[in-house]
Amino acid sequence: MQKQTGENPSLPRFSFGISAPPPCFKVSSALAKPAIDKVAGTKDSSSIVTDVSSTERRENTHLFTFPAQPNLESQWRDMEWTEEQKTSLMKTVSSYKPSSGEVSQVLLLGPVGSGKSSFISSVQSVFNGRVTNRAMVGSSSTSFTKKLQSFNIHGQNGEDPTRLVLCDMVGLGGGEMTGLTLHDIMSVIKGHAPEGHKFSPDQPVRSETVGYVKRPSLKDKIHCVAFVVDASKILTYPKGLSTTFQQLREHISDLGVHQVALLTHIDKICSETDKDLTQVYKSHIIRDMMGKAAALLGMSTSYIIPVRNYSSELDLDVNTDVLLLSAVDHILQYADLYFQDNTPQNTGPKID
């Protein structure tokens, strides 16, 4: 990417796409400034993408209790909960080969604490055959991930890695010093940001950045973006986060990159699903929350997959694995659309 004119390393620190939170939040002085509302409708790539202060996040640890509702008699999405289905999905993911012959790089984007790193570790656990935490997962209100990290998903028993690479980066929000800018997110998706780059609003990704990729090839770019949102926090996210997501989606769509979404922590909002994960697609609560997630993200529920990550478990569970693998299969379908759209097609014999 060419250096933009007027690019300044000391970028202004203001919230990107954030309007005043609903009355249930205590608004910090930084978020309450009238100037922020004026910024909410802009597309300034230097804006910090934030969601909610760490203080607010701590205060909302105890979330809503949803009234019990009888589950539907049949699933509103077809899903087989068997060991055979798990094996079939693992084979599908392991044998997947992008049309380009390269790997599929998927960027996970979401608020701090939404479960991005946990999803990566959970998927790797499925393929390892045991619960592992390869991607470092934090439990605090601030983002544990500070830099751009890519994780190859490896098969069992020393098998070759799959063609799937999950990319993790600092979460949206978490304060000014960890806030992402739209410019930096776009730099990652375009393939300019180097592996291991530590993000700072004071030091945007630019041509002078160490390791900057000036002419990214297809394999350097992001081929699908998976937004990650926490089902147990959907109702406590500030209204302005919807504007942030939708502006992000507009810019990402302009690059021809398809987007999906993961709805995490579904066990925290539905006790029936917590007890029996096979009830996920029979749950009124989860179906309603997926609708709210769709409104937040500005996308159809058909792009959203509910998942439960491994957290305190020591052993794998086949139902959890099936749900995780179905999410990966869903992601790869959209990643492959990127390659189909961006790989030169052989239209016939070459004529000299």
Side-chain angles (χ1 to χ4, degrees):
M1 183 172 64
Q2 298 298 316
K3 183 178 177 182
Q4 298 177 358
T5 57
E7 199 171 60
N8 190 329
S10 56
L11 293 171
R13 294 180 183 172
F14 50 83
S15 297
F16 169 70
I18 298 300
S19 58
C24 60
F25 290 97
K26 290 184 179 179
V27 184
S28 66
S29 58
L31 290 176
K33 292 179 181 178
I36 292 176
D37 288 333
K38 296 178 182 178
V39 174
T42 69
K43 297 182 181 179
D44 191 326
S45 64
S46 65
S47 307
I48 294 177
V49 183
T50 61
D51 61 336
V52 59
S53 72
S54 57
T55 302
E56 290 164 3
R57 200 175 289 107
R58 284 193 296 272
E59 290 174 353
N60 285 292
T61 301
H62 301 288
L63 298 156
F64 301 95
T65 300
F66 296 90
Q69 299 182 51
N71 282 349
L72 299 168
E73 291 185 6
S74 58
Q75 298 184 112
W76 44 275
R77 273 186 187 167
D78 290 332
M79 180 72 71
E80 293 181 30
W81 304 97
T82 63
E83 194 72 48
E84 290 75 18
Q85 176 67 358
K86 171 185 171 179
T87 302
S88 174
L89 285 167
M90 286 187 72
K91 183 177 179 180
T92 298
V93 175
S94 298
S95 61
Y96 167 77
K97 291 182 181 178
S99 349
S100 69
E102 302 289 347
V103 297
S104 283
Q105 294 205 118
V106 178
L107 176 65
L108 303 183
L109 270 181
V112 172
S114 57
K116 298 183 285 84
S117 300
S118 293
F119 177 75
I120 294 173
S121 288
S122 297
V123 172
Q124 188 64 74
S125 294
V126 177
F127 282 91
N128 282 345
R130 59 189 175 88
V131 177
T132 55
N133 286 307
R134 187 165 172 235
M136 298 298 286
V137 179
S139 59
S140 67
S141 58
T142 57
S143 182
F144 194 92
T145 305
K146 304 294 183 185
K147 59 186 180 181
L148 179 63
Q149 294 176 285
S150 301
F151 296 89
N152 289 87
I153 303 303
H154 292 269
Q156 288 181 301
N157 304 321
E159 294 176 4
D160 291 337
T162 68
R163 299 295 182 94
L164 171 65
V165 175
L166 297 176
C167 303
D168 197 8
M169 62 192 299
V170 62
L172 308 181
E176 290 185 343
M177 294 312 294
T178 59
L180 279 173
T181 64
L182 175 60
H183 166 83
D184 280 353
I185 293 173
M186 292 300 107
S187 295
V188 171
I189 295 172
K190 292 176 182 177
H192 294 298
E195 174 74 12
H197 176 75
K198 190 170 183 179
F199 297 94
S200 168
D202 291 331
Q203 297 179 333
V205 177
R206 51 194 298 181
S207 56
E208 292 82 4
T209 298
V210 176
Y212 182 87
V213 182
K214 292 184 175 151
R215 293 181 179 82
S217 63
L218 189 62
K219 67 180 179 61
D220 298 314
K221 300 176 181 181
I222 294 297
H223 311 123
C224 180
V225 171
F227 289 102
V228 184
V229 290
D230 183 343
S232 68
K233 296 180 181 177
I234 292 288
L235 301 181
T236 66
Y237 285 141
K239 291 180 180 178
L241 184 59
S242 179
T243 305
T244 297
F245 276 133
Q246 293 184 40
Q247 290 181 10
L248 277 170
R249 293 196 61 238
E250 182 179 338
H251 281 83
I252 295 169
S253 293
D254 287 344
L255 299 179
V257 177
H258 294 273
Q259 301 141 60
V260 298
L262 304 174
L263 185 67
T264 61
H265 298 125
I266 54 173
D267 48 313
K268 292 184 179 180
I269 65 169
C270 178
S271 59
E272 291 301 313
T273 300
D274 184 26
K275 289 185 289 186
D276 180 3
L277 193 59
T278 66
Q279 300 301 302
V280 59
Y281 287 128
K282 292 183 179 180
S283 169
H284 284 284
I285 293 172
I286 290 177
R287 186 173 65 173
D288 291 346
M289 198 55 67
M290 284 184 65
K292 290 178 172 58
L296 174 73
L297 293 162
M299 63 169 58
S300 166
T301 54
S302 62
Y303 295 101
I304 303 175
I305 297 290
V307 295
R308 181 168 69 183
N309 295 328
Y310 285 110
S311 55
S312 59
E313 299 85 355
L314 297 177
D315 299 307
L316 296 178
D317 168 71
V318 63
N319 296 328
T320 301
D321 293 351
V322 166
L323 204 54
L324 287 165
L325 289 167
S326 66
V328 173
D329 183 47
H330 183 73
I331 288 170
L332 288 177
Q333 290 178 40
Y334 286 97
D336 208 48
L337 288 178
Y338 180 90
F339 292 112
Q340 292 177 30
D341 294 341
N342 292 276
T343 303
Q345 302 294 319
N346 183 7
T347 57
K350 183 177 178 181
I351 301 175
D352 294 328

